[in-house]
Amino acid sequence: MKHTSKLRYGNCNLPRTNAIAFTLALRSPQPQGIKNLVGGMGQREEVEEEGVVAIEIPLGDAAETFDLEKTICSHGFFMMSPNHWDSLSRTFSRPLHLHHPFHSLMVSISHPSDLPHSLLVRVHGVRSLSPQHRASIVGQVVRMLRLSDMDEWNAREFRKIAAALGEEECDWIKGFGGRVFRSPTLFEDMVKCILLCNCQWSRTLSMARALCKLQLELQFQSCSVNASTKNQQTDTNNFSPKTPAGKESKRKLRASKVSTNLTNKFLGTDMDLEADTCLTMDDAQMKIANLRPNFSLRCIEGDSSGNYKSCEAANKVFETSSFETSVLQSHKMTQHFAHQPICNFPSPTELAILDDRFLAKRCGLGYRAGRIIKLSQDIVEGRIPMEELEEVCNGGSISSYSKLADQLREIDGFGPFTRANVLMCMGFYHVIPTDSETVRHLKQVHAKDSTIQTVQRDVEKIYGKYAPFQFLAYWAELWHFYEQRFGKLSQMPCSDYKLITASNMKNEGSRKIKRSRVS
């Protein structure tokens, strides 16, 4: 007999969510299958589905103003692999790491109309979850969407300040939700902040995508090693995390790369497709409609105009699918993910063992590779106390900012721009990370003749009245002008994300802004 389990956390404040999730999971029967909730015309229809566990996360006080689309599509991180936002179903999906045992599960997050006070989190490819894994998933969702009590207080206070300024301020600042999307872990935020430095947005996207593809290979290698006997000799075509001898010619390196790509074709063309469509693992329609080798191989590189057309065509196929087809194919993909490795953002443990020359070459990271590996090693070996830093994210005060900034300064590659971005991810909004894009914005929108040397002074003059939420005001304004130029970013196909560059934001005839190196 199949049991049905639906997890509710009640009307509680979200900092208590993890503890309550743990308690309720102990009391609830572990399902052999679950009832997936599908809203329709104010009524709730139950659809039987195997391999999915549904968790309801209450929004508490945030329910009054919370908007899932606005919260997720509020920062460029939502465009970076392995994140995927589907504008048609208004669903966010990505894999999340679990710890015991260490693996990933595919998760999709939605805000159904029949659950106005809760989020629905669907965990794919499992028949039950342990209390620890339930708590881990809830904690990561709460972090991504900034749903803690402190996050809710910050959002409310920012909206109060914006409203108090009256008509002199723009509607887009008043209407900004006050929540800026971030990653499920501080480590992923740190690495992605490193990827933001000194390059075009298209390359940032490419580097994040390459790291996720690499994680899949590392995951496969780990499984292969565990399954093999000690006396079995490793095949020379298997992925190796160490760089080969440094005297190899460029021709040999290219041949080696081709060999690696061919070796990994066993994973299936559908897994290759995920790499260039922002790892859209929950978009069953897109994947099933496009399981063709030629399409997958064209999309791997992501640089040709043909690739854009292919991805756009895939989006059109998905958008024309009916809801009934969506449910059926989602069920098929749930079965698929239960038997396939999931491509996630790599963990510190996975990156710490790599050689920086290999990582730089494999993922196109350049000098960033050494910094990312050093960061990973320092975390794994305990020199960077990540648990303590994560605790600060849940309630750090401005008085602790300077101390944290000093600690982050000791990390290789964490210059002023990277530190300010990481601290913003940790919940500090009174310092605006500034680079050449900030200079462009102030020149174009505020007619400020700013330079890298004077931009911090200029942003304080413009946004200081929003203290301690200067970044939220600046970001709301910047995001608004992005959408004026490119359209609503939450509705942009993922193939167009790379078009969001400073050069495409400049007005016709405006003089070119010289890029300055930041860190």
Side-chain angles (χ1 to χ4, degrees), residues 117 449 497:
H117 301 291
D449 192 19
Y497 289 165

Side-chain angles (χ1 to χ4, degrees), residues 172-190:
W172 59 79
I173 293 181
K174 294 178 183 178
F176 187 66
R179 290 181 172 83
V180 180
F181 178 80
R182 59 183 174 180
S183 305
T185 66
L186 179 57
F187 172 73
E188 185 173 326
D189 280 336
M190 287 177 163

Side-chain angles (χ1 to χ4, degrees), residues 94-137:
R94 65 158 289 155
L96 295 179
H97 283 296
L98 300 179
H99 302 289
H100 304 292
F102 193 85
H103 66 286
S104 299
L105 289 175
M106 192 65 197
V107 170
S108 59
I109 306 168
S110 60
H111 192 187
S113 58
D114 65 334
L115 293 174
H117 301 291
S118 301
L119 295 179
L120 181 62
V121 178
R122 303 172 74 244
V123 186
H124 301 262
V126 292
R127 301 177 68 179
S128 65
L129 285 171
S130 70
Q132 293 87 347
H133 287 169
R134 289 176 188 261
S136 176
I137 288 172

Side-chain angles (χ1 to χ4, degrees), residues 302-356:
D303 291 328
S304 66
S305 59
N307 174 43
Y308 291 131
K309 294 177 181 178
S310 298
C311 289
E312 289 172 359
N315 284 336
K316 290 179 180 178
V317 170
F318 173 59
E319 291 174 1
T320 56
S321 299
S322 66
F323 179 77
E324 291 78 7
T325 304
S326 173
V327 173
L328 175 62
Q329 293 181 337
S330 178
H331 173 71
K332 291 181 179 179
M333 293 312 299
T334 295
Q335 300 299 319
H336 170 78
F337 290 127
H339 299 94
Q340 291 287 350
I342 294 176
C343 200
N344 202 349
F345 199 84
S347 67
T349 304
E350 291 168 318
L351 292 174
I353 63 171
L354 301 182
D355 179 87
D356 57 354

Side-chain angles (χ1 to χ4, degrees), residues 120-402:
L120 181 62
V121 178
R122 303 172 74 244
V123 186
H124 301 262
V126 292
R127 301 177 68 179
S128 65
L129 285 171
S130 70
Q132 293 87 347
H133 287 169
R134 289 176 188 261
S136 176
I137 288 172
V138 171
Q140 292 178 78
V141 172
V142 167
R143 187 185 191 280
M144 282 190 292
L145 304 183
R146 298 190 191 255
L147 291 174
S148 71
D149 278 347
M150 178 57 68
D151 292 317
E152 173 61 16
W153 185 88
N154 285 336
R156 286 177 180 268
E157 289 301 307
F158 169 72
R159 292 195 296 268
K160 286 179 183 178
I161 292 173
L165 290 172
E167 297 181 357
E168 66 175 283
E169 291 306 313
C170 302
D171 290 338
W172 59 79
I173 293 181
K174 294 178 183 178
F176 187 66
R179 290 181 172 83
V180 180
F181 178 80
R182 59 183 174 180
S183 305
T185 66
L186 179 57
F187 172 73
E188 185 173 326
D189 280 336
M190 287 177 163
V191 174
K192 287 184 173 178
C193 286
I194 293 174
L195 301 184
L196 292 174
C197 291
N198 303 314
C199 63
Q200 291 284 344
W201 178 238
S202 56
R203 187 178 178 194
T204 296
L205 294 173
S206 176
M207 290 186 289
R209 184 166 60 242
L211 282 169
C212 291
K213 289 181 66 178
L214 174 63
Q215 194 274 340
L216 181 60
E217 296 173 8
L218 290 168
Q219 184 183 164
F220 170 71
Q221 185 206 31
S222 177
C223 294
S224 299
V225 169
N226 292 335
S228 64
T229 62
K230 292 182 179 180
N231 295 328
Q232 183 178 10
Q233 183 178 4
T234 304
D235 188 289
T236 56
N237 285 331
N238 282 345
F239 170 80
S240 174
K242 293 296 182 183
T243 307
K247 293 184 179 181
E248 282 193 274
S249 66
K250 291 184 178 180
R251 178 177 297 179
K252 288 184 178 180
L253 288 174
R254 288 196 297 268
S256 175
K257 184 175 180 181
V258 172
S259 176
T260 301
N261 287 338
L262 291 176
T263 301
N264 288 309
K265 284 182 66 177
F266 76 94
L267 294 171
T269 57
D270 53 336
M271 300 305 292
D272 286 330
L273 174 61
E274 290 161 7
D276 193 65
T277 55
C278 300
L279 302 177
T280 56
M281 295 183 178
D282 199 44
D283 282 347
Q285 294 81 357
M286 186 185 297
K287 291 172 63 62
I288 291 177
N290 292 281
L291 296 183
R292 297 188 296 270
N294 289 339
F295 175 73
S296 298
L297 295 176
R298 282 201 307 270
C299 282
I300 288 177
E301 296 301 325
D303 291 328
S304 66
S305 59
N307 174 43
Y308 291 131
K309 294 177 181 178
S310 298
C311 289
E312 289 172 359
N315 284 336
K316 290 179 180 178
V317 170
F318 173 59
E319 291 174 1
T320 56
S321 299
S322 66
F323 179 77
E324 291 78 7
T325 304
S326 173
V327 173
L328 175 62
Q329 293 181 337
S330 178
H331 173 71
K332 291 181 179 179
M333 293 312 299
T334 295
Q335 300 299 319
H336 170 78
F337 290 127
H339 299 94
Q340 291 287 350
I342 294 176
C343 200
N344 202 349
F345 199 84
S347 67
T349 304
E350 291 168 318
L351 292 174
I353 63 171
L354 301 182
D355 179 87
D356 57 354
R357 292 173 298 171
F358 165 77
L359 186 61
K361 198 79 172 179
R362 174 63 176 79
C363 297
L365 299 181
Y367 69 90
R368 302 168 189 82
R371 295 176 176 181
I372 291 172
I373 289 176
K374 182 64 166 56
L375 171 66
S376 302
Q377 291 171 344
D378 286 346
I379 292 172
V380 170
E381 296 169 12
R383 289 186 290 273
I384 298 178
M386 291 299 286
E387 290 186 5
E388 295 179 16
L389 291 176
E390 288 279 16
E391 289 177 5
V392 174
C393 296
N394 297 324
S397 62
I398 292 179
S399 61
S400 61
Y401 183 92
S402 295

